Amino acid sequence: SSQNLSEEFAEAARQLKKEAPRIQFGKIDVTHQHDLRKEFNIQAFPTVKFFVNGSREDPIDCKGVRKASTFITWVKRRTGPSTVLINSTDQAEAIIKADDLAVIGFFKELHNGSVEVFCETARDVPEMPFGMTASEDVCANYGVHRNSLVVFKKGKPVHNEVLEDGKQSKLGLTRLIKTFTLDLVTEYNIETSVKIFDVPVENHILLFTPMNSETFNEIYENYQSAAAEFRGKMLFVVVDTDEARNGRIFEYFRIRDIDVPAVRILNLTSDARYKMPADEVTVENLREFCQSYLNGKAKQHLSSEEIPQDWDKMPVKVLVGKNFNSIIF
């Protein structure tokens, strides 16, 4: 809530006052400040913006940050180095074990395009520690080829991404890394819904199924296998159709009891929905569905009633989803 965020923001201001007095925190109620709201294009609340070098032009948006500690990290990485330089295995271990998640960049040299993208990504992911190293010993200790990014979870490497100069974008890496704040497949509920929307992956795939059915384990295993293949490109969510509180999400996708298990893809930006053409939830069917969607070949799913038999008898024609395009366009 806004109140919560406001308190965390104030706490960050208190802590940074001693450490970094040059950074000023302020808050504005824009209810009556229409000019400011327009100038800075404020559309959602609360919005946090960071102004650099006394300029009103192009402030940096601080998105998805909710805790005081994360605000502090976010600001420090904007005003100083965004990653810790690692020279020894002990140093690397300390970073990897300090938190649930850690990201380490292993490089041949510390001055190339990949390093730049890595450091920029660190600025946008204040939730976890970032370190980088060009030490041969450290790379050898973890058996990592240089010029790769490794995500560690609970002290163990869970993902290795080879960094090729000019190949990865900051957004692509940010998406990939942030997906590790969620499980490989996330169960949709009141608590996780906020987290799901905080991860900047716009393609969500949802499996609707009763979680206590006899076939659930097999279906879920297939779904997890596909999730591992498309990590960072799509967010895999499972929705328990036996849970009454999930009713609104079924309505949104027009899922009926007879449909389950059902798989849908939702694009958050365009709000377009897609239905998996195959009925069986196999790894092959999921892979084909995700691939055709990412290649722009999947057909949009427009929930529609059947076309009424007498739709064109009267001067005003009756339109439903299924005949809308052919009649209007």
Side-chain angles (χ1 to χ4, degrees):
S1 72
S2 275
Q3 182 58 36
N4 241 343
L5 193 89
S6 194
E7 284 164 17
E8 294 288 332
F9 189 69
E11 180 53 38
R14 268 197 295 280
Q15 290 185 36
L16 277 173
K17 201 170 180 181
K18 300 182 195 84
E19 288 179 57
R22 280 178 54 245
I23 299 162
Q24 303 289 322
F25 281 68
K27 65 177 180 178
I28 299 170
D29 179 355
V30 288
T31 326
H32 307 296
Q33 308 273 349
H34 295 298
D35 293 351
L36 282 178
R37 194 170 166 177
K38 197 172 164 196
E39 180 184 351
F40 299 118
N41 190 23
I42 308 294
Q43 290 174 351
F45 299 102
T47 292
V48 178
K49 288 184 183 277
F50 184 53
F51 293 83
V52 186
N53 297 332
S55 163
R56 287 175 88 110
E57 304 296 313
D58 299 327
I60 303 159
D61 270 324
C62 177
K63 284 191 186 126
V65 175
R66 297 175 188 277
K67 286 208 197 91
S69 56
T70 324
F71 269 122
I72 291 167
T73 306
W74 191 90
V75 169
K76 281 183 170 174
R77 288 186 188 174
R78 294 269 159 198
T79 52
S82 61
T83 60
V84 177
L85 187 57
I86 295 169
N87 295 313
S88 70
T89 302
D90 287 351
Q91 244 184 319
E93 279 297 291
I95 289 175
I96 290 163
K97 293 198 167 137
D99 243 305
D100 251 14
L101 286 162
V103 182
I104 311 282
F106 296 87
F107 297 103
K108 285 189 176 125
E109 45 165 21
L110 292 179
H111 305 285
N112 62 29
S114 302
V115 173
E116 220 166 286
V117 173
F118 181 78
C119 292
E120 281 177 17
T121 304
R123 288 196 188 106
D124 280 356
V125 190
E127 302 93 318
M128 52 190 92
F130 273 66
M132 64 178 185
T133 186
S135 150
E136 276 184 47
D137 293 350
V138 177
C139 295
N141 181 66
Y142 293 101
V144 174
H145 291 296
R146 295 203 282 172
N147 277 6
S148 51
L149 170 160
V150 180
V151 180
F152 290 85
K153 196 164 191 170
K154 295 193 166 44
K156 292 188 170 59
V158 286
H159 184 82
N160 186 326
E161 183 80 6
V162 177
L163 297 175
E164 289 179 56
D165 226 350
K167 279 277 177 75
Q168 280 89 353
S169 68
K170 178 185 77 165
L171 184 60
L173 286 182
T174 303
R175 279 178 178 157
L176 175 72
I177 293 163
K178 283 209 178 198
T179 59
F180 288 94
T181 61
L182 296 169
D183 297 327
L184 193 55
V185 172
T186 305
E187 186 187 341
Y188 179 90
N189 57 40
I190 303 299
E191 288 75 49
T192 60
S193 60
V194 173
K195 285 186 182 172
I196 289 168
F197 290 108
D198 266 354
V199 174
V201 177
E202 63 173 355
N203 307 313
H204 289 192
I205 180 164
L206 299 97
L207 165 65
F208 294 87
T209 181
M211 287 173 78
N212 63 1
S213 74
E214 285 170 21
T215 53
F216 177 70
N217 285 349
E218 189 191 333
I219 287 172
Y220 190 71
E221 264 178 42
N222 295 343
Y223 198 60
Q224 275 197 308
S225 301
E229 281 183 46
F230 291 94
R231 183 154 220 162
K233 297 188 181 85
M234 307 194 77
L235 211 54
F236 279 66
V237 178
V238 62
V239 183
D240 186 357
T241 53
D242 282 343
E243 172 55 72
R245 283 177 302 187
N246 290 337
R248 277 178 62 195
I249 197 168
F250 310 144
E251 273 171 40
Y252 183 69
F253 282 94
R254 310 250 171 118
I255 301 281
R256 305 269 178 273
D257 293 346
I258 46 168
D259 285 279
V260 298
V263 179
R264 300 281 189 274
I265 285 175
L266 170 65
N267 179 299
L268 294 193
T269 309
S270 66
D271 205 30
R273 290 154 235 197
Y274 303 80
K275 179 181 182 179
M276 185 162 80
D279 285 332
E280 279 187 74
V281 185
T282 63
V283 179
E284 200 39 61
N285 288 343
L286 287 163
R287 187 185 288 135
E288 215 165 284
F289 182 37
C290 292
Q291 211 50 69
S292 74
Y293 168 75
L294 292 170
N295 296 342
K297 302 242 166 70
K299 259 175 63 187
Q300 258 200 62
H301 176 58
L302 305 163
S303 302
S304 172
E305 302 157 51
E306 290 308 314
I307 302 168
Q309 276 181 316
D310 56 356
W311 71 271
D312 63 346
K313 293 275 185 293
M314 305 299 272
V316 176
K317 311 301 176 199
V318 180
L319 300 178
V320 292
K322 283 186 175 156
N323 68 354
F324 187 86
N325 264 355
S326 57
I327 305 305
I328 300 294
F329 301 114

